[in-house]
Amino acid sequence: MGGKHKQAQRTKNNARPSSSGRSAELLGRSIPQFAGFSAVKENCFALPTLTLAMADENVDSMIDTNFHLVLKKMNKKDSTTKLKALQEFTELVKSNDQETIKSILVYWCRLYIILSTDADHKVREATHSAQHQVVLKAKRNLAPYLKQLAGPWFTSQYDTYAPAASIATKSFEDAFPPNKIQEAIIYCQEEILNYIYDNLIVQTVQSLNNNLKGTMEDAEAKYERIVISSLHGYSLYISKVNGADIEKAEEINKKIVCSGKFWKFAKSKVTPIRTAFFGTLKTLCQKAPFLLKSETEHVVNAVFLNLDETEPTVLPNIWEAVLLSVTTFEEWYKHINVEKAVLPKLYKVLKEGGQGNASVIYPNMLPFLSHLPPSIDNSVFYFNFFDNMRLGLKQRSTIASRSETSAVSVTLIECIQYIIMKNQSNLQLCEKLIKSILMPLLEWCLSEGPDSYKQLYNQVAGLIQYWHRNRNHPDVHNYFKYSEYFWTNLDSLFQGLLMNIEHNYEKNALTDLAVRQIELLISLKHTIKPRKQMKVKFETESPPECGDLNTSATKAKSDKCDESYQSALNSLVFQLCKCYVNLINEKQCKELLEQLYALILEFENREFFISLSKLVTVDSCQDKLICIYEKLLYKWLKSSYLCTKAVIDMIFILFKYLNDNEKLNILDTFTKLKTEQCGWCIARGLCHPYNSDPVIQQWLSNEKVDEYLISVAERELILDESTPESSILLKQAFTVHKNEELFISKNAVVKIVNIIGNCLLNPSDHPVTLDTCASLAAYISSVLYTEDLKLHYGIDLLLSLFTLSCNMRVDPETLSQDTLWEVNTAWQDVIGVLFCCLETEKLKSVADQFALIIEKELLSNDPQTFNKEEMVDKIVNFIRVIKKNNGFVIFKLLELFLERSFVLEWRFELSAVGICAQYSQGSLSSLYSSVHDSTMQAEDDKILKYFMWLGLCIDVLLTPIEAIERDEDDDSEDEINDVVQEDDLSKKVHTMIDVSDDIYNVMLNLLYDVTLANVIKEDYKVIKPYSRLDEISKSFIEKLRILMTHIDSKSHIERELMYRVTKHGCLWAKAVHLLNAEVSKEDLANVYGDYLNKDNFQEEVCQGRVHLTQAFAETVSFDDVMCNTRLPEKVVTLRSLIHRDDIACDITGTFKSIEAFKMKYGKDLYNLDLTNWERTETLIEIIRLCSAVIKNNKVQTLSREHWDFCVTFLANWCTRLPELRQNYQKIQVASFLSAIAELFTNVENYLIDLEQHMPENDSILEWRAVFAQDVHTELIMTWLYLSERLLEQHKENPPRMTRLPFLQQFGSCIGFLKSDYVLKTTDERSPKWLKLMKTSCALLTNPLHSLQLWGYHMLMALIPGFIEIDSSTINCSKPKKDLVLKEFKDSLVQTQDIVHTMLIDFRLGENSCRVEPYTDSYTYTFAYLLLWDIILTMCERASTELRYQYADWLRNEDFLTNLLNNIFKLVPAEVLHYNDIRIKPFDEWFTKKFQLPLTDPITSNKIERMVCWVYGNTVTQLPALVRQWWSNIETRVNQIVDRATSAYVSPQLCSQELADVAKHENKFKNMVIKIHPSVREVVAVYTVDEAQMDLVITLPTNYPLGGPDVQCNRQIGGTTHKQWLMQFKMCVLHQNGRIWDGLSLWNNNLDKKFDGVEECYICFAVLHPGTYQLPKLSCQTCRKKFHSACLYKWFSTSNKSTCPICRNLF
């Protein structure tokens, strides 16, 4: 209603400034000159020297306009505005020159006075920061304004906000040099004091509150802050200014000090104010006591009435003020009632232990005692004082803190010492203090005192020693009496406490008491030197008799005093010992034995034992110390209850005072003790210094001690009865004395070492004790193997340690890393010692045994557990240790590790394996000599072990000789990598190979082995070690390249290689290629030419030349090859170079030579003579040449002549297969069969290619009409024969490894067999399809992977024939035969049951089973998936009706449900739970069929990919069955399956369905199809005349799990569209039909309907929904037509044979 509109509050980050800021900005723009500070409040304090009139125009005109705005903003009320203004001002000061700053000082001073006390601490901090910058810039120009600034500036150094105070102090110090600060303060002292006076005396909370809108709490906080800073500032002023200058300002100082308001601050409720006040008072007392002369009463009352202050911050100032008051004011006690006002508060403080502030309060007690008023009754005061102090010591707060306890204890004893010194002539008083104060205090400490009682003990010890040192001083003659009085009372105290506990016997209390008594005695024993610099000396009231007690006369008598002191102490100790002995004997107090031993150990001497012997004996043997053992200690030793280690320790202490015979007598009794006690005695005897006694040494080597130590070792390391004592005892037993000999006998050492060695060598038998045993063995090895002992105790322990360090099967939980480090360090240290002192032969023997251990570790264990890096580390460390100590024999010893005896034997055997593979494949021919076969089994782990050893040797040779510094976590492999990555050969690291004397031979062997590894890796991918072999051999080439850099001359290696190629050929030729192609990377054509030009290769018959040509075939031309007239070599050369474009004429020439060869032998050519290796090999090479010619020549370039020769040659040799296959186990026959299979494969490939280009070519027709049937028949028979033989043999033994290449080569032709020639033949020799199927199914479950694929590929080849048989079966009118598919039932059930059992523990959709290769699980899972792939392929290729029959059988037998359940237990988890379906990295697995070459490695990944493909294909071929299964599973699994299908299968399947429809869309006469791929929609429009019917089909995202949505939008009048729509849905949803099948059915129904075809009167459909047949069977009576399937169902369900319509017999 006409009021002022409310303004919106300014929010954070608002770009617009506040209204006050905007106003200031507008003022700065509109008014060019600054007119002063009219807005400053008048109630603010201002110095008289600063008035508003100072802002005259002449001055204002000099101010920069930027400062105008900033200075105006500073005067605003808003804290944020002021803070920003101050920050801007600070930046302006930094960026402007001195003259500009000088012009604004007059205004800044006024603002500084106001802002320095602002309520906002950030504003104050910014104000002082600005002042600091002004000081730095203005410098001397600030002088005229210094007095104006002095007050707030000086006191702001104690601002309650620490950052603000710190900056204010910094600015003040930077304004003046250190030597001028006092002068500056004096110069401004009047202004400073006036400002402080005004703040302390004049100002109030209300007067300082210039913010009318502020709260009272803010005003009080500001007032308190100003008072605190003013008090501290006043204290600073007093401390900085000397007394004379203070006197000059006495008047203003008196105004402050004499004000009643000033003294009221002592009673302020605000702790910081009280702290500041008493600090100021303390400073006044020290620096300006003359100001307080008239205020003594105020001072005394302010101080003493606050004695019971509890605030820790106030206390130090109060107590300093107390001491300064009593020393400054001599008659201070006249201004206060001491008895009523002071002492009660003092007693309260003492009684409460200083209320947690004892460390602050108690150090002031002794000075305070020295200034007590004379009116106090000392006899009463002293005891009240100490009683309250004792109560304070017992306070919980004091006991809980060690520093508090120490402060009270020190003060109490010092005060007692001072009072007795002061009153030493008053015997009664002093003895009373000892008896009633000191003794109760000790009694409390002994019985129930705090844990920090030792502090009090030390103080008491210092006091008594002080009395003893000065007992003969003439001025303090009563000290002797006081010390005697103390010892007497202390003895009585000990006796009384023990007697009290004896009557109320409690073990824990007695033990605790004894411990405290001994602690007190030990404190009394140790002499505490007098602290000269810390003694208290008082100027007044010091008794003249005290004097200086530490004079030279006293020092001269100190020894006598010490003797008397020790005598009194020993007497007390013996009395206490006597009490302990009595208690042990009478009360059987076992706990006191430990304390008795501690007492004897601390105070033992001959006189003590003599006194003890007199105590325990009454006869004449009192002087014999052995009586102590016989009468006392032996009794305790025999007691099952009292016998402890303490008793034995006391006996060995007694040994110092016995002769040899007495010692032997006692030692002999030890062996008669019980096992545990005997062990204690032996352990103590082995300890220093007792083991240096010859008598004990003699005893330790006797037979009984040996037996005991051996039994301890057995219990410790075998029986797992270890104890900490037994472990320590065994280590002690292996201690050596000065002459480097063991204390125990050699017999005991040997037996113990055998026990330890057995444990180390069999770690699995000793899982609990292994760690202890290994640690002990490491320790013992350092004792047994020294330069003096050498191998005196044998080498067994050393070998056991090394064996354990090499053992890879040790559970890390049984052997810790620390212990393993001890073991490794131990054997290396021993080797280092031995190799310095042993002869060369012994060194070799030791190294050979170490190498044998590493060899056994590899050969006798599973190679999967072999850690190559660890073994390399062991060998390298061994060699490095040798090099440090004996570098001359390093390579000889390195050879012992690397060149083991098994290497040559295994190299020969593996070479045979590699050569056989190369020979079988034709990669390396053997024209003139036979190939050695190998008996190695496919499962043999020799391969992996050998090449792991090769990797180990390479890594050892590559390791630097000197260790490379690195982190502890890095392993030895990193050192090798450092060498491998070294590119600068001039700075290459010296490695182990550099110490080799025969570096060339080493490199040749490595080169051959790496070549062998590559050959086996490439040719035997299906063996179990392949994956690991592939892993370990990856870096061989790179490492060989590095090793070659350490060879000075490569020519030597080439010469040796040339010799070995000509002599041995085979893999050495491959090695030459490897060296030049991959290691040194030379020009291969040049290398090949250089080799051929050598004399060694000029001979007519040189197999090495052939192999070299085959190895270099990829890079050389025909012109580079040496021409040879021998046919075999010509054939091999031509075959190797068949890929060249320039050899057409050579092919013709070679074929002419072959024709001549053929003419030479005539008909005998096809009679294979296995005794003639060269002739047979020539025939094999001719077959391979034919195969190569067909394979490498294009369709257009292969001449008819060559084609006819090759095909004829193949056909003729196939007729000889029945004879050949019987000898298939011979390597040459296997090679022959492989060559024939390869030729057949290439012929079929050629024909396929030819058919695409020239379908009616004569070659194709001739092959099919003349050759194909016979070739197929013979190959099928050979396959069947080999399969049966291999199945039979595999039951007994697995096939040799060298048979695998043959199985792969021959198996490659199976997939090219045609079912037409297999199943339709009239040849009686050809087997029946059922036999082929049974054999193939048997092969599917064979453990040999290649044979599984033989069966699979054969079945896949026969599928077209199976489909044809089943199609004829279901179309036959005769009684139906079983489908071929049903013949798979037995194999399917067998594999399904095994897979189901394997997966029974896995939950569907939760966890996935990864099937490991080379296991029975893998074999049967692989067979199971292969079977299903065959079944699904049959479904895919079958007609719609046949597929329906197949699906029906699979559903009825429940095979598909089991398949799907198993699939989702085998699908990898990362496939099922992959989140980002947009990427879908596993798409291919579901949509692209897996390939199964016979040469592929066997991996788990293969199973996983097959599983995914089988699921995708199942969904594609049998969607209705999958949908039915999916709808019945639990919801959780349902969602997982849905997500996986939608991600991986559905998109591809939808695209496939739409593409299938698009492919056939033009085949309909009356129907038009439109496809919308983006929305997965098909629209079919059926048109009759002008009428139309629409069918809209939409596929869901999870198709086919979700059925298609089918809508019929437009209909043709009079049609039964619902029935046809239902039939369409039934076809797609329930009969595994595709969208195209449903559309075709719908279209045909409509066509037949409109063509007048009558419907079936059972299903009311024109086409049967299952068989898609027309109604053909009609009733003779009513003439109605029916489907045969419908009628059959009617007859079987109704049990009648009547017509459904007319009910007459049909």
Side-chain angles (χ1 to χ4, degrees), residues 1445-1485:
Q1445 298 290 335
Y1446 286 166
D1448 192 49
W1449 179 73
L1450 291 172
R1451 180 178 62 250
N1452 294 337
E1453 295 292 342
D1454 205 27
F1455 286 137
L1456 194 71
T1457 301
N1458 286 319
L1459 170 68
L1460 294 170
N1461 288 332
N1462 291 332
I1463 278 177
F1464 280 93
K1465 293 179 182 179
L1466 290 169
V1467 173
E1470 59 268 23
V1471 174
L1472 286 181
H1473 302 291
Y1474 197 82
N1475 293 324
D1476 193 354
I1477 61 173
R1478 290 173 296 177
I1479 301 175
K1480 295 185 292 188
F1482 304 103
D1483 255 353
E1484 258 190 17
W1485 290 19

Side-chain angles (χ1 to χ4, degrees), residues 577-695:
C577 179
K578 180 179 176 181
C579 293
Y580 286 174
V581 170
N582 291 334
L583 279 172
I584 293 169
N585 287 329
E586 294 174 5
K587 296 289 186 180
Q588 293 291 295
C589 186
K590 183 179 181 179
E591 293 73 17
L592 274 181
L593 286 169
E594 199 67 43
Q595 277 62 49
L596 179 60
Y597 163 66
L599 193 65
I600 293 174
L601 181 66
E602 195 69 36
F603 296 96
E604 52 94 9
N605 53 50
R606 180 171 289 278
E607 289 74 17
F608 177 86
F609 281 114
I610 290 172
S611 300
L612 188 58
S613 67
K614 292 178 180 179
L615 176 66
V616 299
T617 57
V618 293
D619 51 16
S620 57
C621 68
Q622 290 180 353
D623 295 335
K624 294 183 178 181
L625 299 184
I626 196 173
C627 297
I628 300 174
Y629 175 75
E630 294 173 346
K631 301 295 184 180
L632 184 66
L633 298 178
Y634 187 59
K635 291 180 180 178
W636 293 348
L637 202 59
K638 291 193 300 182
S639 171
S640 59
Y641 181 73
L642 292 178
C643 184
T644 62
K645 291 182 182 179
V647 177
I648 295 164
D649 290 336
M650 286 186 277
I651 295 171
F652 276 91
I653 292 175
L654 182 63
F655 272 22
K656 296 180 184 179
Y657 309 101
L658 300 178
N659 57 42
D660 291 350
N661 290 331
E662 291 172 336
K663 292 176 185 177
L664 277 175
N665 292 336
I666 295 175
L667 290 170
D668 288 341
T669 61
F670 287 168
T671 56
K672 300 175 183 177
L673 297 173
K674 296 178 180 178
T675 302
E676 187 178 13
Q677 287 81 349
C678 181
W680 293 343
C681 297
I682 295 172
R684 181 52 62 189
L686 288 166
C687 291
H688 181 79
Y690 308 119
N691 56 16
S692 59
D693 190 329
V695 176

